[in-house]
Amino acid sequence: MPKARFITLSLLLDAVLVNVGFVAAYYVWLWFRGTLPDLNLAPYLTLAPFVTVGYLASGYVYELYSPERTENAWAVVRAVVSAVTIGTLLFVAAAFFKGGEFFVLSRGAIVLSLVTVSVLLVGWRLLFLRFGTITWPTQRVLLLGTGALACELATELDRRAKWGYQVEGFVSVETPDAAPAPDELCGHPVFGGEGNLTRIISEKSVDRLIVVSPVALRELVEKLVLAEELAVTVDVVPELYEVFIGRIDSMVGDIPLMQITRRSTPEWFAAAKRTIDFAAAIVLLVVLSPVLLLAALAILLTMGAPVVFKQERVGRELSRFNVYKFRTMVRDAEKLSGPVLAEEDDPRITPVGRFLRKTRIDELLQLFNILSGHMSFVGPRPERPFFVEQYLVEIPGYRERFRMKPGVTGLAQVMGGYATTPGRKLKYDLIYLYHQSLAMDVQILVETLRVVLTGRGAR
């Protein structure tokens, strides 16, 4: 069984069996007292959500859903009993504040439930340990460095081989005063210097690179992370400086690891953001329809047709789409010059167009791009294919920004302006990519409103 399926099964079984254990404890207790009433679960159903949430949360705390932490019978028993004890205490607190008569009449059932719930949760896990297996995804690991710590880390990973870890070997670090690297270390081969790192990763189909050497190799790792042809997770064993400025993502034994590559946006976040984008775009189109009409009339009277400006842009995964804006420049603005970026005091921008840009009204038609799913409210600005092809060659890491959907506004827009260099904008785009959240989106939208009201950054 795949690990993800096992975790899902664990959550579902625990949610059911916790409630079964509580109901069973209640009726066993009343039967023991000789006062078994007719079946009436209504009082309990009012508290069932608290039971379920409290116990699943306790199970998470005691790592019941991390199968590598409960790989033997004793570990299972210890974790389940601890989780059930805490879950019961949380439930008692919820029942007390809820005031349900179910447990007011049967306090003894609470004590008995510690046994029934524990037996059920331990029981199914022991059966699975006896008859089931978990299929772990293979992780081919390459270690950059050949020191004592690298050897210790490889040994720890070997001990976890049944969890999918497969150490492919070490890559030596070439320094002027370093002794020649051995051909083998801790039972694994040592490959040539770091200059061959990209080739080794490709040949060995490495999934994960762990940098154990000092972060003096930062530039090498940066190039590797930004190498578009390599889809590899990169971790470092952090020095004190990295601990100060970052967070520890995982542990192998007692060795901390800090991941410097980022996973894709969680599905729940993408779904929530898309739902909010769609609903907000509809509301804004209705509310701002008078503004859209006045802007269209102003353009038509001062500049003539066309009112709407359509231009091809590059979106997520380098896909292309047409972005819509109100026209702010003279007709055929690039007929003689060809594609050029907007500049401060650009002579091609008309007086009405300058006002529309300063107030960001020209961007409002992109609400239709949001409805179509090509854009979001917050994200990197969609760029034109002509410039994208240029920047992909000139700016390291530029392709990274296309891992997310472009936006009407973004961190680069509120922190800079139309004339901010693409290289600087990329840094802001990557900050957003690696740290995006709904709270950050709200912060950027509020800052965008401030920029619109003050006119800062709009040219």
Side-chain angles (χ1 to χ4, degrees):
M1 178 183 296
K3 178 184 176 182
R5 190 177 300 173
F6 172 81
I7 294 173
T8 302
L9 175 66
S10 300
L11 290 168
L12 292 175
L13 279 177
D14 285 357
V16 172
L17 294 179
V18 161
N19 288 281
V20 169
F22 257 96
V23 173
Y26 173 65
Y27 283 101
V28 168
W29 175 255
L30 293 184
W31 174 81
F32 178 76
R33 295 180 60 185
T35 57
L36 187 65
D38 295 333
L39 184 65
N40 178 21
L41 296 179
Y44 175 75
L45 292 178
T46 62
L47 292 171
F50 298 99
V51 175
T52 306
V53 172
Y55 274 82
L56 293 183
S58 300
Y60 174 80
V61 169
Y62 285 97
E63 301 182 300
L64 289 180
Y65 311 114
S66 300
E68 63 269 26
R69 303 296 185 185
T70 52
E71 58 181 341
N72 59 67
W74 171 240
V76 168
V77 173
R78 183 175 54 189
V80 167
V81 170
S82 300
V84 169
T85 301
I86 298 300
T88 303
L89 293 176
L90 291 174
F91 176 64
V92 169
F96 174 79
F97 288 107
K98 187 72 176 176
E101 67 270 22
F102 182 90
F103 284 102
V104 172
L105 298 176
S106 54
R107 294 186 181 94
I110 298 176
V111 177
L112 184 59
S113 70
L114 288 169
V115 177
T116 56
V117 174
S118 295
V119 168
L120 290 173
L121 298 191
V122 168
W124 85 258
R125 284 179 166 83
L126 292 184
L127 286 174
F128 186 88
L129 285 176
R130 177 66 178 83
F131 300 105
T133 57
I134 300 176
T135 303
W136 297 82
T138 300
Q139 289 192 57
R140 294 181 174 85
V141 182
L142 186 66
L143 303 176
L144 180 58
T146 54
L149 183 58
C151 185
E152 180 183 351
L153 183 58
T155 302
E156 289 291 340
L157 291 171
D158 287 338
R159 290 181 55 239
R160 292 162 171 77
K162 62 181 178 180
W163 298 343
Y165 294 109
Q166 180 177 318
V167 178
E168 294 294 331
F170 304 85
V171 176
S172 61
V173 179
E174 297 176 347
T175 56
D177 55 348
D183 294 330
E184 186 177 287
L185 183 65
C186 300
H188 298 285
V190 177
F191 303 105
E194 69 272 12
N196 301 314
L197 190 55
T198 301
R199 177 182 58 81
I200 296 169
I201 288 175
S202 298
E203 290 179 354
K204 298 295 180 180
S205 300
V206 171
D207 305 298
R208 188 174 184 181
L209 171 71
I210 301 179
V211 182
V212 192
S213 297
V215 189
L217 294 171
R218 186 176 64 182
E219 291 184 3
L220 170 66
V221 175
E222 181 180 287
K223 292 178 181 178
L224 181 68
V225 172
L226 297 178
E228 296 154 3
E229 69 274 10
L230 295 176
V232 59
T233 299
V234 181
D235 297 275
V236 298
V237 178
E239 302 289 335
L240 284 178
Y241 177 76
E242 284 72 39
V243 173
F244 291 153
I245 65 174
R247 72 173 189 270
I248 302 303
D249 294 295
S250 61
M251 301 281 290
V252 177
D254 59 357
I255 302 173
L257 294 179
M258 181 181 295
Q259 185 175 330
I260 61 175
T261 51
R262 294 294 185 269
R263 302 177 181 87
S264 301
T265 304
E267 292 184 5
W268 70 265
F269 178 82
K273 187 170 182 177
R274 174 58 183 154
T275 302
I276 295 171
D277 283 342
F278 189 84
I282 292 177
V283 172
L284 287 175
L285 279 172
V286 174
V287 173
L288 297 175
S289 56
V291 177
L292 300 178
L293 180 59
L294 289 174
L297 289 174
I299 295 170
L300 191 61
L301 293 175
T302 60
M303 293 185 281
V307 171
V308 177
F309 174 72
K310 181 178 71 172
Q311 193 176 68
E312 188 178 43
R313 298 293 177 99
V314 180
R316 186 176 183 181
E317 303 299 339
L318 296 174
S319 62
R320 298 192 180 189
F321 67 100
N322 288 322
V323 69
Y324 299 98
K325 292 185 178 184
F326 283 118
R327 184 164 67 91
T328 59
M329 291 187 176
V330 298
R331 290 193 191 94
D332 300 323
E334 296 183 340
K335 186 175 182 180
L336 297 178
S337 64
V340 294
L341 294 173
E343 299 177 352
E344 188 173 1
D345 299 324
D346 196 318
R348 300 172 298 166
I349 303 175
T350 66
V352 171
R354 195 171 301 281
F355 172 79
L356 295 178
R357 287 194 172 211
K358 186 172 184 179
T359 57
R360 297 299 203 274
I361 292 176
D362 65 317
E363 309 276 0
L364 292 180
L365 289 184
Q366 291 170 50
L367 291 170
F368 292 102
N369 290 116
I370 294 175
L371 287 178
S372 68
H374 290 120
M375 293 179 64
S376 176
F377 275 101
V378 181
R381 289 293 295 146
E383 193 52 83
R384 300 166 64 178
F386 175 86
F387 297 111
V388 169
E389 293 172 4
Q390 177 182 337
Y391 298 151
L392 286 174
V393 176
E394 297 176 353
I395 304 176
Y398 193 75
R399 186 182 291 266
E400 284 286 286
R401 73 193 299 273
F402 298 102
R403 289 172 53 192
M404 53 186 164
K405 193 179 296 185
V408 175
T409 186
L411 191 61
Q413 281 61 53
V414 298
M415 299 302 294
Y418 281 110
T420 301
T421 63
R424 291 181 182 176
K425 285 184 178 180
L426 176 63
K427 293 181 180 180
Y428 289 116
D429 291 337
L430 295 184
I431 289 172
Y432 178 74
L433 170 63
Y434 294 151
H435 303 282
Q436 60 182 308
S437 66
L438 293 178
M440 178 178 280
D441 282 3
V442 172
Q443 183 179 0
I444 291 173
L445 291 171
V446 171
E447 183 65 17
T448 300
L449 180 60
R450 189 180 71 83
V451 169
V452 170
L453 295 176
T454 62
R456 181 183 66 80
R459 302 184 181 96

